[in-house]
Amino acid sequence: MKGKISEVFSSVQGEGLYLGIKQLFVRFYGCNLQCSFCDTRIDSFIEYEPQELCDEIGLYGKNFHSLAFTGGEPLLQKGFLKEILQAAKLQHYRNYLETNGTLPAELAEVIQYVDIVAMDIKLPSSAGSSGLWSVHEEFLKVASAKEVFVKTVICSSTTQQDIEQTVKLLYRASPSSVLVLQPDSNEKFSVLEEKLEQLKHFCRWYRITACIIPQIHKMIGVR
Ligand code: SF4
């Protein structure tokens, strides 16, 4: 079985609770969503056999925190991903999965080999997507078997209704998970302040831990 991989590179994590830590990134090709703010659409890929990809990972040594499987959406290639995750565990790597949180059945097949799940919640009013609430909830329930945190992008079009839905979803599916609010880096922070305050208010009400962490890739010029 071959996997389609867009790139393998060493860098620092640019968002979420592991911001700034050194990781080896394996970017899977292809995504099942079309978010309006997407900046990771890559048209090219190389096909790897599992062993070929493991050999390439091995060239980077082990002086980093974890292997970050990112995309696109890695779970779209769940069979190949499972083989790589299993091989990585045998080599004592820590596996960090970045995912759009929409493929719960696929996650269930690989969760035992994942250490950390960094899951997005795509708000209809921010990402332009719709109908994802129930799959996000199901996904978060599966992910909560491991360390998981949830990220969501807040922009000027984000509605209060979506904000409430997000907090309630965490409350039902995984109340101990941290919610990371990511102000859209393309917009002025002052425009977003009121929305972030609303979200913090709901989080306090439902006892969900939330923090505001901007995406720093563009600020510091890293991938
Ligand atoms: S889930 Fe991620 S990679 Fe896929 S379209 Fe949305 S932002 Fe882009």
Side-chain angles (χ1 to χ4, degrees):
M1 176 192 303
K2 288 191 173 185
K4 294 178 179 176
I5 302 298
S6 292
E7 52 182 348
V8 178
F9 60 98
S10 172
S11 188
V12 291
Q13 178 56 243
E15 59 184 44
L17 295 184
Y18 285 80
L19 184 84
I21 63 152
K22 193 173 171 190
Q23 292 182 311
L24 184 65
F25 291 80
V26 180
R27 187 180 301 287
F28 280 58
Y29 172 79
C31 187
N32 55 330
L33 299 184
Q34 292 186 315
C35 304
S36 53
F37 48 70
C38 182
D39 59 2
T40 54
R41 287 193 189 101
I42 297 179
D43 293 332
S44 60
F45 60 82
I46 296 175
E47 287 195 315
Y48 287 86
E49 293 286 353
Q51 189 56 50
E52 289 173 334
L53 183 55
C54 291
D55 290 346
E56 179 152 349
I57 289 169
L59 296 177
Y60 289 83
K62 289 200 170 173
N63 187 23
F64 48 83
H65 174 270
S66 44
L67 289 173
F69 297 94
T70 187
E73 175 48 59
L75 288 166
L76 271 184
Q77 302 182 59
K78 68 164 188 223
F80 182 78
L81 175 65
K82 187 174 182 178
E83 288 204 37
I84 299 301
L85 291 170
Q86 281 177 311
K89 291 313 295 174
L90 287 174
Q91 295 293 318
H92 306 293
Y93 289 106
R94 201 180 279 126
N95 289 332
Y96 178 106
L97 178 65
E98 290 189 319
T99 168
N100 62 29
T102 59
L103 299 170
E106 288 79 353
L107 179 67
E109 290 189 34
V110 303
I111 189 69
Q112 71 184 104
Y113 307 109
V114 176
D115 297 293
I116 304 159
V117 181
M119 170 195 167
D120 287 344
I121 285 189
K122 304 294 186 186
L123 305 184
S125 55
S126 307
S129 52
S130 62
L132 298 176
W133 292 113
S134 57
V135 282
H136 277 325
E137 186 161 345
E138 206 182 323
F139 190 97
L140 184 52
K141 285 177 182 165
V142 177
S144 63
K146 296 295 178 76
E147 178 182 343
V148 54
F149 65 92
V150 175
K151 299 173 287 158
T152 194
V153 172
I154 305 295
C155 58
S156 54
S157 61
T158 305
T159 63
Q160 185 168 332
Q161 187 188 17
D162 281 355
I163 288 172
E164 283 189 48
Q165 284 259 53
T166 302
V167 176
K168 288 177 181 171
L169 188 155
L170 260 83
Y171 179 75
R172 287 192 300 269
S174 183
S176 61
S177 298
V178 174
L179 176 59
V180 177
L181 312 175
Q182 303 182 130
D184 185 342
S185 53
N186 296 315
E187 298 196 33
K188 283 188 178 161
F189 187 72
S190 55
V191 177
L192 305 176
E193 257 181 317
E194 188 187 341
K195 292 175 193 299
L196 291 164
E197 276 307 313
Q198 284 172 3
L199 193 36
K200 277 167 54 184
H201 166 76
F202 284 114
C203 287
R204 272 196 297 273
W205 183 262
Y206 283 92
R207 297 181 186 275
I208 298 294
T209 303
C211 52
I212 299 170
I213 304 180
Q215 297 164 300
I216 62 161
H217 304 83
K218 290 175 192 159
M219 291 180 201
I220 63 171
V222 296
R223 284 190 282 176

